[in-house]
Amino acid sequence: MNLLSVREAQERILNALQPVGTENLPLRDCIGRVLAEDISATTDLPPFDNSSVDGFALRSADTALISPASPRDLRVVADIAAGSNPQVALRAGEAARIMTGARLPSGADAVIPVEDTDFNIRAAGTPAPSIVRIFKTLRPGENVRPQGADIHRGQIVLRAGQRLRPQDIGILAMLGIARLPIYRKPRLALLSSGDELLPVEAPLEKGKIRDANSYTLGALIASAGGEVISLGIAPDQRPAIQSLLEKAIEHKADMLITSAGVSVGAFDYLKEIVESNGTLTFWRVNMRPGKPLAFGSYRGIPYIGLPGNPVSAFVGFEVFVRPAIQRLGGEQTTERLRLRVRLAEEIQSDGRESYLRAEISPTSDGTLQARLSEHQGSGNLFSLVRANALLIIPAGVKSLPIGAEVDAWLL
Ligand code: AMP
Ligand code: MG
């Protein structure tokens, strides 16, 4: 069996997956969800010319040659509150008091802030003066937010495949878009396997350990926008494994994820069961930790078998399952953002693409430095608890000196 590069393994997984269906949701429920269609603006934003200050709307031509030493008085002919629809048309020598966000009256092309007039009063309920003295020359358009300056009607504001953030939800509200087509959350059935595993509530017994992966991987699935179908813990027995896997079918899982039980251990039945109910290939991926990776399908459901060691399972998730969830969930898969960090210690690697647990911190010269978490054994979940990043050491590199720059994923 030859070694697959991480990139090749990722591509093979993504090529086997199709986005799930969509649903139509009220705006409030769309936060963190993936948009299924491009959205174009239904109106201009702002929808009308409006004032960006509390002040007096006027004709900028009336303010030519004004200075603090030679001010000019304008007649105040209207008082325009936010939300009102002014009917007045300003003529030469006229102004209208106007509030922030209020629609500009016709004839006006600029707004002077109250503080540049002799009427610097903002208190609620104060009537407008009949004359206002202006101490400053204004350019056309000054303190005006023109209609359509932010967005033009018809312009695409959000693209299919974007995961919606609070500001995206806000702009959709501004546009009056109350419901959206959204990819439904991909459902991932999750199984831990091994006779040594106990549920978290159980007292510890000799020879046993508690099942960490159901929790870590379950939390990772949720954080990636997936829905977890928890299949629990499979003992190393054929019928029990089979009946748990059937639950993935019942719950219409979009993908099946297992941890452990796919190595060459004598008690590893999982692989036989998947093989005889679908397809299964074992990849030796040129990466560390987590070289063995199983990929296939169980009764039509795409399947990824992660290693059992808690750190290997975590890294395998970040490298393979997170992008898979993005693909299933309709999300545009862009390369994950990487930071450039400087090594504060020498690093030895073994030539595989390595994902090393590290702590990144800022330095006084403005760069980021990275130190490895103490011991990198793939069973040592605590080293991952203390890490805030994974350093990515490229394939082919065997050692790096202090001060070398490497890429990192923030955790
Ligand atoms: P395996 O892939 O079955 O050979 O398991 C590799 C290592 O991971 C063994 O030390 C297992 O005990 C451990 N392991 C497997 N599953 C889990 C789990 N769900 N939680 C914590 N450790 C596990
Ligand atoms: Mg095992």
Side-chain angles (χ1 to χ4, degrees):
M1 229 187 318
N2 38 358
L3 280 179
L4 277 182
S5 72
V6 169
R7 172 63 52 121
E8 285 167 326
Q10 285 168 332
E11 279 171 4
R12 288 191 192 184
I13 292 171
L14 295 183
N15 287 338
L17 302 175
Q18 297 297 325
V20 299
T22 63
E23 55 193 341
N24 198 270
L25 293 181
L27 187 54
R28 224 175 271 288
D29 296 337
C30 295
I31 182 66
R33 301 292 300 273
V34 180
L35 194 57
E37 286 171 21
D38 290 352
I39 300 293
S40 38
T42 45
T43 53
D44 287 342
L45 285 183
F48 48 84
D49 293 349
N50 70 97
S51 177
S52 66
V53 295
D54 290 336
F56 291 85
L58 46 70
R59 304 162 70 101
S60 58
D62 283 351
T63 67
L65 307 175
I66 288 182
S67 69
S70 75
R72 176 168 181 193
D73 289 350
L74 297 177
R75 277 188 315 284
V76 179
V77 296
D79 192 14
I80 307 168
S84 64
N85 183 15
Q87 302 299 319
V88 65
L90 294 192
R91 290 169 304 181
E94 293 180 345
R97 186 167 74 160
I98 192 165
M99 302 301 156
T100 304
R103 181 176 190 135
L104 226 62
S106 75
D109 68 348
V111 180
I112 185 141
V114 283
E115 50 272 33
D116 295 325
T117 72
D118 66 343
F119 188 79
N120 188 3
I121 304 171
R122 296 170 195 258
T126 316
S130 53
I131 300 277
V132 65
R133 181 160 293 182
I134 311 295
F135 293 101
K136 208 183 134 188
T137 297
L138 294 187
R139 297 182 312 274
E142 204 166 336
N143 301 316
V144 174
R145 301 188 283 215
Q147 172 172 346
D150 300 343
I151 294 178
H152 281 294
R153 183 194 163 103
Q155 185 182 337
I156 291 184
V157 285
L158 292 165
R159 296 257 176 210
Q162 281 184 259
R163 198 173 278 285
L164 297 171
R165 305 163 301 165
Q167 61 267 46
D168 304 327
I169 300 289
I171 207 113
L172 290 162
M174 277 185 159
L175 291 169
I177 297 170
R179 297 188 74 87
L180 288 168
I182 294 289
Y183 283 102
R184 75 167 166 74
K185 288 186 170 195
R187 288 188 282 268
L188 281 91
L190 180 61
L191 184 74
S192 285
S193 85
D195 271 342
E196 73 276 34
L197 301 179
L198 292 174
V200 64
E201 305 81 8
L204 213 47
E205 298 166 29
K206 288 219 169 81
K208 309 272 189 191
I209 59 170
R210 296 204 180 88
D211 166 24
N213 293 345
S214 287
Y215 286 86
T216 317
L217 294 172
L220 284 166
I221 290 169
S223 80
E227 212 164 86
V228 183
I229 301 166
S230 184
L231 304 183
I233 302 171
D236 290 318
Q237 288 163 21
R238 223 175 294 251
I241 297 173
Q242 181 110 42
S243 74
L244 288 172
L245 290 182
E246 280 312 291
K247 288 208 283 176
I249 310 287
E250 279 165 36
H251 287 89
K252 298 195 167 64
D254 298 304
M255 186 161 211
L256 171 63
I257 306 293
T258 64
S259 68
V262 286
S263 56
V264 286
F267 301 102
D268 294 338
Y269 294 116
L270 187 54
K271 60 182 176 196
E272 289 173 32
I273 293 172
V274 175
E275 248 162 7
S276 54
N277 287 278
T279 58
L280 191 61
T281 23
F282 281 92
W283 294 342
R284 284 172 63 237
V285 183
N286 188 28
M287 71 181 283
R288 167 176 86 116
K291 180 162 68 174
L293 183 79
F295 181 69
S297 65
Y298 177 82
R299 296 185 48 190
I301 304 178
Y303 167 63
I304 292 180
L306 296 171
N309 272 310
V311 175
S312 311
F314 182 98
V315 171
F317 181 96
E318 291 296 341
V319 174
F320 300 111
V321 184
R322 188 180 290 278
I325 294 175
Q326 290 177 327
R327 168 61 55 90
L328 287 170
E331 197 172 356
Q332 286 164 0
T333 37
T334 46
E335 196 75 32
R336 180 165 176 172
L337 216 56
R338 294 173 175 217
L339 298 178
R340 282 299 269 178
V341 300
R342 210 177 282 279
L343 297 180
E345 61 189 84
E346 196 182 296
I347 280 184
Q348 307 300 328
S349 192
D350 68 356
R352 288 183 279 169
E353 181 166 321
S354 299
Y355 293 78
L356 306 181
R357 286 144 269 169
E359 199 171 335
I360 292 181
S361 56
T363 61
S364 53
D365 67 4
T367 60
L368 295 171
Q369 67 167 14
R371 265 179 205 290
L372 293 190
S373 313
E374 252 135 64
H375 94 88
Q376 299 272 323
S378 55
N380 180 13
L381 190 57
F382 190 45
S383 65
L384 194 49
V385 168
R386 295 208 275 193
N388 63 3
L390 290 174
L391 304 186
I392 305 167
I393 313 299
V397 173
K398 295 212 162 156
S399 77
L400 286 168
I402 294 181
E405 282 198 354
V406 298
D407 284 351
W409 281 345
L410 270 189
L411 296 178

